[in-house]
């Protein structure tokens, strides 16, 4: 059972998660987001937001979102296009954690590397009701 | 592909959001939070029903930016947004944007997702390297 996100302290690094951009998964993603634009650029290109979705998935695999958690902001910078078939490693680190009026506000840096180097960096801002227990 | 000039409206992306589409995104994105997929659970939350994933709305923005900027968006794009309100099944979401300035070799756009009532769901800025880029 992964730790709850709100119990993680600033500086906590979550272990990296590995993914493969399999043709089947990319097709499933492109169909789900109805992205006709990507296919016009090249048959092997992956929508950049698919990489971002994997970064968020990595976070959710390594830390459980408590009830009431809300994703309130997102920043991302893409370094290069990802290609179908590429293997990726996504990691996350808590860069800020504050508590005010019963709510926790956290900033989590996300990064995704592929076989050819960095693909994406970003930061998710998440808020959630404060739990009774102190952060570890 | 030529970079759009300041003031240019990007071609919008308009999508009818359904529970089926949210479920499909949950399966593809690996985010099975019941807030998105379980109407009974979601009815008990502050939202009163299921809502679309924020990352699904960003995918619609990305589709618009891919069409407008091509490889420049994929290879060197930046996006910074705030999620302001949820999209719900039955909503028609429009991803829109326009070029607001050119700075430091980048073309900067104001971008938004709105629902059919004109309510802003997501807002922020996107930036791509300026100049001629291969399509």
């Amino acid at each position: 059972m992964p730790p709850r996100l709100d119990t993680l302290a600033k500086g906590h690094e979550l272990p990296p998660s590995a993914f493969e951009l399999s043709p089947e998964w990319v097709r499933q993603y492109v169909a789900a987001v109805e992205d006709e634009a990507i296919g016009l650029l090249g048959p092997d290109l992956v929508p950049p937001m698919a990489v971002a979705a994997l970064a968020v998935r990595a976070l959710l695999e390594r830390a459980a979102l408590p009830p009431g958690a809300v994703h309130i902001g997102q920043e991302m910078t893409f370094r290069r296009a990802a290609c179908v078939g590429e293997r990726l490693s996504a990691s996350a680190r808590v860069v800020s954690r504050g508590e005010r009026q019963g709510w926790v506000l956290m900033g989590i840096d996300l990064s995704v590397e592929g076989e050819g180097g960095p693909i994406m960096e970003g930061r998710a801002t998440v808020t959630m009701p404060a739990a009774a227990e102190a952060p570890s | 592909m030529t970079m759009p000039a300041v003031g240019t409206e990007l071609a919008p992306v308009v999508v009818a959001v359904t529970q089926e589409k949210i479920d499909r995104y949950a399966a593809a994105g690996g985010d099975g939070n019941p807030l998105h997929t379980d109407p009974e659970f979601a009815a008990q939350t502050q939202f009163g029903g299921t809502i679309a994933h924020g990352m699904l709305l960003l995918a619609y923005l990305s589709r618009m930016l891919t069409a407008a900027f091509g490889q420049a968006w994929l290879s060197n794009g930046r996006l910074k947004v705030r999620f302001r309100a949820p999209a719900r099944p039955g909503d028609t979401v429009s991803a829109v944007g326009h070029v607001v300035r050119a700075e430091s070799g980048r073309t900067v756009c104001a971008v938004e997702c709105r629902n059919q009532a004109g309510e802003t769901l997501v807002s922020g800025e996107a930036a791509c390297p300026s100049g001629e880029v291969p399509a």
Side-chain angles (χ1 to χ4, degrees), chain A residues 17 25 29 36 42 49 64 76 78 82 104-105 125 132:
Chain A
S17 296
W25 184 80
Y29 178 87
E36 300 103 1
M49 218 51 75
M76 54 191 79
F78 300 106
V104 176
L105 182 67
T125 306

Side-chain angles (χ1 to χ4, degrees), chain B residues 2-133:
Chain B
T2 305
M3 284 292 154
V6 172
T8 303
E9 301 278 343
L10 308 184
V13 166
V14 181
V15 180
V17 174
T18 65
Q19 187 60 53
E20 184 191 355
K21 290 180 181 180
I22 295 171
D23 292 345
R24 273 203 320 228
Y25 183 83
D31 182 350
N33 183 340
L35 175 61
H36 305 298
T37 57
D38 183 344
E40 204 169 302
F41 171 88
Q44 305 306 313
T45 69
Q46 61 184 307
F47 298 104
T50 57
I51 62 172
H53 303 74
M55 295 299 289
L56 177 57
L57 303 184
L58 298 195
Y60 300 149
L61 284 177
S62 180
R63 181 174 141 195
M64 174 183 71
L65 293 161
T66 300
F69 295 99
Q71 281 274 10
W73 167 242
L74 272 61
S75 307
N76 223 328
R78 290 182 191 164
L79 182 68
K80 182 175 182 178
V81 294
R82 299 280 291 182
F83 297 105
R84 306 208 175 264
R88 302 170 186 278
D91 279 353
T92 298
V93 171
S94 299
V96 300
H98 64 280
V99 179
V100 290
R101 64 185 183 277
E103 65 178 19
S104 307
R106 289 187 165 262
T107 299
V108 181
C109 300
V111 296
E112 271 191 16
C113 285
R114 301 178 191 139
N115 64 15
Q116 67 283 357
E119 183 184 13
T120 300
L121 310 177
V122 179
S123 65
E125 283 194 343
C128 283
S130 299
E132 197 90 0
V133 291

Side-chain angles (χ1 to χ4, degrees), chain A:
Chain A
M1 190 73 178
R4 270 173 48 146
L5 183 62
D6 57 324
T7 66
L8 304 180
K10 179 181 173 182
H12 186 96
E13 290 197 29
L14 295 160
S17 296
F19 299 99
E20 183 185 350
L21 293 170
S22 70
E24 297 75 23
W25 184 80
V26 174
R27 270 198 298 273
Q28 186 187 10
Y29 178 87
V30 169
V33 302
E34 305 171 76
D35 190 345
E36 300 103 1
I38 192 71
L40 302 175
L41 294 180
D44 292 332
L45 292 173
V46 175
M49 218 51 75
V51 175
L54 288 177
V56 171
R57 186 203 282 194
L59 172 63
L60 296 175
E61 282 181 359
R62 302 301 191 188
L65 281 184
V70 182
H71 191 179
I72 59 171
Q74 184 67 52
E75 296 174 39
M76 54 191 79
T77 300
F78 300 106
R79 300 295 181 195
R80 66 177 176 85
C83 293
V84 173
E86 196 166 354
R87 292 177 186 278
L88 309 180
S89 173
S91 54
R93 186 167 62 97
V94 177
V95 291
S96 64
R97 186 190 188 284
E99 214 169 307
R100 191 176 177 191
Q101 296 179 332
W103 286 81
V104 176
L105 182 67
M106 298 181 78
I108 298 130
D109 274 3
L110 308 167
S111 63
V112 180
E113 297 231 352
E115 290 153 349
I119 295 178
M120 190 212 95
E121 294 145 16
R123 179 170 298 177
T125 306
V126 184
T127 189
M128 61 213 92
E133 61 267 36
S136 57

